[in-house]
Amino acid sequence: MDNLWVERDARAMARRYQGAGVNQDVALCVYGTRLLGSEPRLVQHGGGNTSVKTMMRDVTGADVEVLCVKGSGADMAVIEPHGLPAVRLAGLQALAGLPALSDEDMVNTQRCNLLDAAAPNPSVETLLHAFLPHKFITHTHANAVLALTDQPDGAEICAAVYGKRAALVPYLMPGFGLAKLAREVFETAPDCEGLILLKHGIFAFGATAREAYERMIALVDLAEHHLSRGRKRRPRAAAAPRRLAAVAEVAPILRGLVAEPAGEEGQWRRMVMVHRNGPAILDFIAGAEVRRYAFSGVVTPDHVIRTKSKPLLLPAPEAGALDDFRTQAEAALAAYTADYRAYFARQNAASLPPKTALDPLPRVMLVPGQGLYGFGKSARDAAIAADIAETAIAVIADAESIGRFESIAEADIFAVEYWSLEQAKLGKAAEKPLARQVVAITGGAGAIGVACARAFAAAGAEVALLDRDGAAVGKAAASVGGLGLACDVTKPKEVDAAFARIAETYGGLDILISNAGAAWSGRIGTVAESVLRESFELNFFAHQRVAQAALRLMLAQRTGGVLLFNTSKQAVNPGPDFGPYGLPKAATLFLSRQYALDHGADGIRSNAVNADRIRSGLLTDEMVTARARARKVSEKAYMAGNLLGREVTAADVAQAFLDLALARKTTAAVLTVDGGNIAAALR
């Protein structure tokens, strides 16, 4: 474990924050916290915490000794001073004399002692920081330390590795009891540099931020050296089939399996997926005893809220045998959920007060030969589950390399999984209308494509943008935190590759906005056949091509879906010399209705948007200018040449697509967005 402290950088940060009114102690604590948080072998999403005891001025002008401690769930890698809420130290330390303290009273006391009532909740381990005497304290869930402690004889191993440098604290759930126990252990070894919390993590402390940080690194380094000296080889299981199915084929099946019916018929509570397949992951899954060590429990308690206590282990998916794989996966999932319900019933019987069961679905799936799949309510949450699963794999592999991995007891896992203070880290805000859904938008770098990306991302969807301009679509996707794919929708191989990438990235697809198009003009009696064919290729066949690719994913998921087509007013009201554009658009309008007819029984809705005079959208700026000149009006007047006299924007078209995506009982419809044009109205 490398020591990354650079004194020059630390002092520079202190000077920078001093200008914003942050004292040096807090600034240096922020610097050390970020160093720890940026190392995934030490800290994973929201885990770990740090603190500093310092002086601050309250509203009366009096100097008060406070504990600035990491806020619950804050990301140590990017923490700012406000992420270390200041709590009056005397109010916290007064609790040490109590024989017992409820979680509710602990949280209330911590909040009542905040200098700023609007500050985030202090860490659930605030009292442990407060009860120890050191100025600076650091806490991580270091992989190497967990590999030593997560053993049947973890205490003996750690005693041999650390001697007097670190004292050992038996496992106890975080909170008031652990804080008191940690202080009692420290008082028996007041010269130690840190505390090893068995099956939980490590604390290190010091008189300065640098000392606390460097002691943490040194203590973790000792664990890493012990592991490197004692590794043994693990036997491998039977090899996976020679011909594995592709991840893009398997992912939508798995994503569909963890979707639950919700609300009215046809509604689904989906999850988003990520896939990981590094060598360490594949080796772990290939282990002969994977069913034992993968199901033994979490490597540190707070991981359970992200991954549950165990993953779902699936068979290897053989190419050409996906129906068999689906059947086996369904059976495995049924056994998993039944096991989870039995676990809940066992533990809840002894729980006071009784708990309400969480959903029984796995957040991590292990597939031989393919790797792990992480699931969550968003791409971010799925990535967190996958990151934590990768960490667990690394810790368990190290633990097995020197002995036998052992987690905390089932009752202790349940206590943390259903602990309100841990569940609070996940947040309970109402979800946006398209949360948990994935949308693909063709023509993603154009004005309408970009407007759709913004509208659907704002509604909670994960967004994939496709456009032949790779640089532009990448930029557009980055602006909404989505996936940008260079794809010419007139080329079948590029379409197949793009939709495979969407499946690999998110697990599948729920909404397609088939938007890519371009306008060709010419008098129909004399226009060259090549012009018609070129227009039909983009304005009809490309729509069919991407719709078929989207449909394959939707059918594999078995959770329905939405197909949305950009047809334009030319589909119903052809303009003079505009046949090469209007003819394929009319065919695409019919295509939309055919999908509604043929796949309504699959829960797939298909609708179209009929828009007109959209600058930088259906018409190019040059075409708008030319048409305005031909009519001897201003461009603005041409754009607003409708019954309402209002200009129609790309954002208006995007809103129409969004409205159709949300209209759960509407299919085979055409929504007009043109400000009013009787000639283009359907009748």
Side-chain angles (χ1 to χ4, degrees), residues 79-416:
I79 199 165
E80 294 285 346
H82 62 75
L84 295 165
V87 194
R88 291 177 177 85
L89 187 58
L92 299 179
Q93 291 179 334
L95 300 174
L98 296 177
L101 183 70
S102 70
D103 291 337
E104 293 76 14
D105 286 340
M106 179 181 74
V107 172
N108 183 60
T109 301
Q110 290 174 182
R111 288 211 61 81
C112 286
N113 280 280
L114 285 167
L115 282 194
D116 179 2
N121 279 333
S123 166
V124 297
E125 287 162 328
T126 291
L127 294 185
L128 200 159
H129 289 260
F131 291 176
L132 293 174
H134 308 85
K135 184 176 180 67
F136 289 89
I137 299 177
T138 61
H139 169 47
T140 73
H141 302 144
N143 290 9
V145 173
L146 292 174
L148 302 189
T149 72
D150 291 357
Q151 302 274 350
D153 57 346
E156 290 80 2
I157 294 172
C158 290
V161 169
Y162 291 111
K164 294 182 178 181
R165 292 188 66 175
L168 308 184
V169 181
Y171 177 77
L172 192 63
M173 183 172 163
F176 177 72
L178 177 61
K180 289 195 69 170
L181 177 61
R183 188 184 69 165
E184 291 168 6
V185 169
F186 169 75
E187 288 174 347
T188 67
D191 295 327
C192 68
E193 300 172 12
L195 299 174
I196 305 298
L197 276 58
L198 297 175
K199 301 186 186 300
H200 177 158
I202 176 174
F203 276 77
F205 23 74
T208 66
R210 180 170 186 168
E211 183 177 47
Y213 168 81
E214 291 184 337
R215 282 180 169 178
M216 173 64 71
I217 298 303
L219 293 173
V220 173
D221 196 52
L222 286 173
E224 290 183 339
H225 279 294
H226 181 81
L227 290 170
S228 67
R229 292 193 300 268
R231 296 186 191 280
K232 63 180 187 294
R233 294 179 62 85
R234 289 181 292 118
R236 293 175 62 87
R242 286 185 180 180
R243 294 182 60 249
L244 284 168
V247 169
E249 296 175 306
V250 171
I253 294 174
L254 302 183
R255 183 168 181 250
L257 287 179
V258 295
E260 295 181 297
E264 298 180 17
E265 184 178 0
Q267 283 187 278
W268 292 90
R269 188 173 184 269
R270 301 172 171 94
M271 284 197 271
V272 183
M273 183 217 84
V274 298
H275 172 245
R276 304 280 173 81
N277 64 348
I281 296 171
L282 296 174
D283 286 347
F284 179 89
I285 300 172
E289 296 183 271
V290 63
R291 289 188 177 276
R292 172 183 60 79
Y293 54 67
F295 295 166
S296 294
V298 290
V299 300
T300 190
D302 72 340
H303 285 185
V304 71
I305 65 171
R306 298 287 191 177
T307 64
K308 296 197 178 291
S309 64
K310 62 183 70 173
L312 172 63
L313 182 62
L314 295 172
E318 188 170 356
L322 287 175
D323 287 342
D324 291 341
F325 173 75
R326 183 190 291 275
T327 299
Q328 294 170 328
E330 288 172 345
L333 179 64
Y336 182 98
T337 56
D339 179 69
Y340 185 87
R341 291 188 176 102
Y343 148 78
F344 176 81
R346 280 193 307 274
Q347 296 302 325
N348 196 45
S351 177
L352 290 174
K355 305 295 190 293
T356 299
L358 301 170
D359 77 75
L361 297 170
R363 295 304 188 269
V364 178
M365 298 186 189
L366 305 179
V367 181
Q370 282 200 336
L372 72 81
Y373 293 83
F375 295 87
K377 63 184 179 182
S378 65
R380 178 180 179 275
D381 286 325
I384 290 173
D387 287 345
I388 290 175
E390 281 200 74
T391 293
I393 284 173
V395 171
I396 294 171
D398 278 345
E400 289 284 314
S401 76
I402 62 167
R404 185 182 180 91
F405 172 72
E406 180 184 83
S407 183
I408 57 177
E410 181 183 272
D412 293 320
I413 290 176
F414 181 85
V416 176

Side-chain angles (χ1 to χ4, degrees), residues 473-519:
V473 79
K475 183 177 180 181
S479 71
V480 295
L483 174 67
L485 298 170
C487 175
D488 184 339
V489 292
T490 67
K491 296 180 178 179
K493 288 185 178 180
E494 292 191 18
V495 170
D496 289 344
F499 280 83
R501 179 76 183 283
I502 293 169
E504 292 162 358
T505 303
Y506 297 118
L509 184 68
D510 306 300
I511 303 166
L512 169 69
I513 301 177
S514 189
N515 168 65

Side-chain angles (χ1 to χ4, degrees), residues 13-28 30 56 80-82:
M13 177 175 285
R15 288 193 298 272
R16 187 166 66 251
Y17 278 125
Q18 186 176 11
V22 177
N23 77 27
Q24 180 171 281
D25 287 341
V26 174
L28 292 175
V30 168
M56 286 188 175
E80 294 285 346
H82 62 75

